[in-house]
Amino acid sequence: MAGNDWINSYLEAILDVGPGIDAAKSSLLLRERGHFSPTRYFVEQVITGFDETDLYRSWVRAAATRSPQERNTRLENMCWRIWNLARKKKQLEGEEAQRNAKRRLERERGRKEATADMSEDLSEGEKGDSSADRSAHGDSNKGTMTRISSADVMENWASQYKEKKLYIVLISLHGLIRGENMELGRDSDTGGQVKYVVELARALGTMPGVYRVDLLTRQVSAPDVDWSYAEPTEMLHLRTAENLTHEVGESSGAYIVRIPFGPKDKYIQKELLWPHIPEFVDAALSHIVQMSKVLGEQIGSGQPVWPVAIHGHYADAGDSAAQLSGALNVPMVFTGHSLGRDKLEQLLKQGRLSREEINSTYKIMRRIEAEESSLDVTEIVITSTRQEIEEQWRLYDGFDPVLERKLRARIKRGVSCHGRFMPRMVVIPPGMEFHHIVPHDGDVDGEMEKNEDNPASPDPPIWSEIMRFFSNPRKPMILALARPDPKKNITTLVKAFGECRPLRELANLCLVMGNRDDIDEMSGTNASVLLSILKLIDRYDLYGQVAYPKHHKQYEVADIYRLAAKTKGVFINPAFIEPFGLTLIEAAAHGLPTVATKNGGPVDIHRVLDNGLLVDPHDQQSIADALLKLVSDKQLWVRCRQNGLKNIHLFSWPEHCKAYLSRIISCKPRQPQWQRSDDGLEKLESDSPGDSLRDIQDLSLNLKFSLDGDKIEEGITFDNALDTEENSGNGKNKLENAILAWSKRTISGTQKPDQNISTGKFPAMRRRTQIFVIAVDSDSNSDFLEIIKKVVETARKGKSAGFIGIILSTALTISEVHSLLASGGLSPLDFDAFICNSGSELYYPSSGTEDVPGLPFVVDLDYHSHTEYRWGGEGLRKTLVRWAASINDKMPEEGKIVEEDESRSTAHCYAFKVANPSLIPPVMELRKLMRIQALRCHIIYCQNGANLHAIPVLASRSQALRYLNVRWGIDIKKMVVFIGECGDSDYEGLVGGIHKTVILKGLGINSRKLHDNRKYTLEDVLPPLESPNIVQVQPDACNMSSITAALEILGVLKE
């Protein structure tokens, strides 16, 4: 027990205390009786600090043992358990301290490198940390919008934006969401976030300039939940129509749209939703595209009305919103609500679980990666408080307040940021509905007299349910409204109340702790907290002074606030940390002064409302003093009440929506770019279902090239380009180098589009009955070629010939694809599209003839413009080159471990050759390094780790398929994706979704090493193989007949 002297004395005291343990049944304070029990002190102060409920139960059993010898044996065993727990906690704290130190060093190093790259002289705004700097990311009141009255808000907004017709998409996936009679507190997933997103959607629907709001969530058709959660669509009825000044149309308003994904007929917790996110994204994409077209017919003069923003709430919805934002090329907004890194730190501090156990239980690393991915894509992060920015978001690799201020200053000066981007943090407190709230001006006696005179208006039932606990119900009521969760700190409140005799004499205490039927049926932690509270009530003999009702309905919460206000009571939120504190606003709206924790959002609320006192939640005496001061000083009580009622409008929904809409409208407009050039294409049809993209001559893709001397640049033909390329020893190398050189010139803007392009046919890909996507990452090109041949031959045979399109999706370059197909006797005209360079490039076969030396391709430049958002360009390339050099310098004896591969790089894909994959860090480490330097990209290890690709953050092989859905209307449900048993580091994105999947067992198994050092396992994010949309083909039967059989099982081919 060396090194744990602080605990030794307590252990020895417990073993020596003997019969003194029976004194635990006393209801009086030990210090009041002149005695001290180290047993009780140890259990209450030490064990509760570790939140180990089983230890408490062990102590209770030991205390009940009559035999002193058996009791001491049990206590000794329990003490060793506590000591081991303390040692484990100390070890975890040390490991976490080391990780934090390493993270600080990495951030400081990344910040220095980013500053060095941005070599221009820094302005004063970039150098300092003044309040003016903090306002750049929402850290001061100066940076926020001036608040005015709700009536002025609506009037000013209506006059400025009444002509706009905005479409807004909100996403909140977990929990049970409906517009009326929300079951808040039903489970841990159905809480404050559910209420917030519903009220936000409803409030936005009333704002002038907003035509439609869709709140997307999961459709739940489970027998253990209400039928209303299975309804596909629910219109959110307005609370009041007084603010509805804009045009009402056929599809206008606010709606809950429930998307079916995940297990059917089963309601699952949020930690189990991750494997099903791609399925939601695909289905939501289909809904948004369809709704955009419908709105286009109503208000867009026939042009699609795309969402002005997609707003994800919580990590799972943020990940979904990031993918939808990329697929549609529209701005994204993100609200974290509760952040994974903060929760991880809190759990590690408790010492109960190791990092691995936490990840297994909460899927915390997948959640953190989703939050990091959201930071990569989102333009705005909406927070409730500054504390969330300063203490929580700064824990993330993708956000650095110091670097953000420097980038913001450079943007204001018009100076290049060298490819670096940082999301804007904006503080917008949640809103609240106030129209139904009438603050109570009477007191208990006056109300009783009123009821005697007017028996037709009885008290709400919840009042009698609470009052029955009190021996003197006329005393002021101290109200706490929170779940019985350790972090809500209710036990400290009860102790403060119980140990302050003047407070007990002046006031009652009401604890509304959710709903319960039987304590034994509650979760272990909640049951433990509730049992602790009941024991404290017994210890301090608080019967007749504390109410703890078992049940209340959501609509009765307002009545509970009114009851507290009637008695001239106080509302208290003593949580250790409160991210925002919506209950404080609700209490203020009902005329209640407040006492709140000084940690988190209540600080901001108090600054605005000035209607109460802030306390240290760990200081029991401070809590008691604050409550006693408000209850005993009537003038202070009245002043706090009046301040709250006077300023509460600053937290109204109109105020919130005004600030919210002003922010998202300020985002740079992004939308699918092709709608300006080829709107008429959708009205054209192909001559036959057998036509493919090889029939396209133009497609309005802004570029066409062939190998027969078509014009590339003024004075330069493709033949000349072949001759001028260096290191082109033969025709094959000439072709590859020419294509790559052409691609670089085209993307960088030096290539001029051919002005003599004739109008072609609309691609027949949308007429296909099925689309086969070959995305196998095989261990060799020969295996890859064999699979391609088998799939192509399967598509050609039988009645399906001509009705099945084929897309090749690979990490290879287009020139490598061409060479591979030529070696196998395949023609590019057998395919409809080519997704190359890990999803950064999209090509179509052109209409050239087969007698030329090689076949022409058409590059989709619209795809480039679609995915170039936040592409770091040359700044990213220089950082990667510097990183590669640092890896080589660390191990000079190994030679060049990683080096830039200029021959395979394009303007949207920086390629690096890796000589020894085992000597370079995992992909997540490199992605982390880029995020720390504010560089946003996808890092992909491909071809068994022999190559590394850095591509735009909105580009990927899975996103390219969604782009084809948006661009050409290709139904994702018609796609069949062929993949191996494992693959490149982007493998997980290809498995899930609403498309069908054929897994070719035995292929790509050597790529498993790329996934060995993941922060979360593939099994945590891949859909179950038992899914009806997934079929596996065994390695010993990977032939045409087995592939055909698999497709028949999926219903793609008829038997």
Side-chain angles (χ1 to χ4, degrees), residues 584-595:
L584 295 171
I585 298 176
E586 294 175 341
H590 288 85
L592 272 174
T594 61
V595 173

Side-chain angles (χ1 to χ4, degrees), residues 878-891:
K878 288 181 179 179
T879 303
L880 289 169
V881 170
R882 186 167 56 242
W883 166 80
S886 69
I887 296 294
N888 296 330
D889 292 343
K890 289 178 182 178
M891 293 172 281

Side-chain angles (χ1 to χ4, degrees), residues 741-751 861 864 906-908:
W742 157 82
S743 175
K744 293 177 182 178
R745 286 195 302 273
T746 301
I747 298 165
S748 62
T750 60
Q751 169 65 42
L861 291 186
H864 288 156
T906 68
H908 286 81

Side-chain angles (χ1 to χ4, degrees), residues 772 787 789-800 804 976 978 996-1000 1031-1034 1037-1055:
F772 289 178
I787 293 299
K789 288 182 177 180
K790 291 173 183 177
V791 175
V792 170
E793 190 61 29
T794 302
R796 285 175 175 173
K797 72 172 188 176
K799 297 180 180 179
S800 299
I804 296 177
V976 181
F978 292 82
K996 297 175 175 60
T997 304
V998 176
I999 300 178
L1000 305 177
V1031 173
Q1032 301 183 74
V1033 176
Q1034 297 303 316
C1038 191
N1039 49 49
M1040 274 188 56
S1041 60
S1042 60
I1043 292 176
T1044 301
L1047 294 173
E1048 290 174 350
I1049 293 175
L1050 292 172
V1052 176
L1053 298 179
K1054 296 181 179 180
E1055 299 182 12

Side-chain angles (χ1 to χ4, degrees), residues 511-586:
L511 306 174
V512 180
M513 300 175 287
N515 291 282
R516 65 185 184 276
D517 291 320
D518 190 332
I519 295 179
D520 292 335
E521 296 177 358
M522 299 172 66
S523 66
T525 302
N526 290 352
S528 175
V529 171
L530 186 56
L531 286 172
S532 299
I533 291 171
L534 296 178
K535 291 177 185 293
L536 289 171
I537 292 172
D538 183 72
R539 177 197 300 177
Y540 298 123
D541 196 13
L542 299 178
Y543 299 106
Q545 295 176 289
V546 179
Y548 40 96
K550 295 182 66 171
H551 298 283
H552 72 279
K553 295 182 174 58
Q554 179 61 29
Y555 65 83
E556 291 178 319
V557 172
D559 292 328
I560 298 174
Y561 286 126
R562 286 179 53 226
L563 176 60
K566 274 181 54 180
T567 62
K568 292 183 169 54
V570 178
F571 180 81
I572 180 169
N573 181 337
F576 290 120
I577 297 178
E578 182 60 59
F580 179 66
L582 189 60
T583 53
L584 295 171
I585 298 176
E586 294 175 341

Side-chain angles (χ1 to χ4, degrees), residues 639-750:
R639 185 166 67 251
C640 288
R641 168 188 166 87
Q642 291 174 345
N643 287 345
L645 293 174
K646 179 179 67 176
N647 298 319
I648 194 63
H649 73 275
L650 300 177
F651 292 97
S652 67
W653 275 118
E655 281 279 352
H656 179 94
C657 291
K658 175 208 170 186
Y660 177 93
L661 292 170
S662 297
R663 293 295 184 181
I664 66 172
I665 288 177
S666 68
C667 294
K668 182 180 179 181
R670 291 194 289 126
Q671 56 195 3
Q673 297 299 310
W674 59 83
Q675 69 172 2
R676 301 194 184 111
S677 60
D678 60 354
D679 301 322
L681 281 177
E682 295 193 8
K683 300 178 181 179
L684 302 178
E685 296 184 358
S686 299
D687 293 337
S688 70
D691 294 334
S692 74
L693 285 177
R694 60 180 176 269
D695 298 318
I696 303 171
Q697 295 179 3
D698 169 36
L699 298 181
S700 296
L701 294 177
N702 307 323
L703 177 73
K704 171 188 171 184
F705 77 92
S706 63
L707 303 185
D708 57 358
D710 282 347
K711 185 177 181 180
I712 296 180
E713 234 178 326
E714 186 174 352
I716 301 178
T717 65
F718 202 84
D719 293 328
N720 294 334
L722 286 171
D723 294 335
T724 58
E725 286 298 321
E726 298 179 0
N727 302 322
S728 53
N730 53 52
K732 174 183 175 182
N733 288 336
K734 287 183 179 181
L735 173 63
E736 294 177 358
N737 291 330
I739 293 176
L740 285 170
W742 157 82
S743 175
K744 293 177 182 178
R745 286 195 302 273
T746 301
I747 298 165
S748 62
T750 60

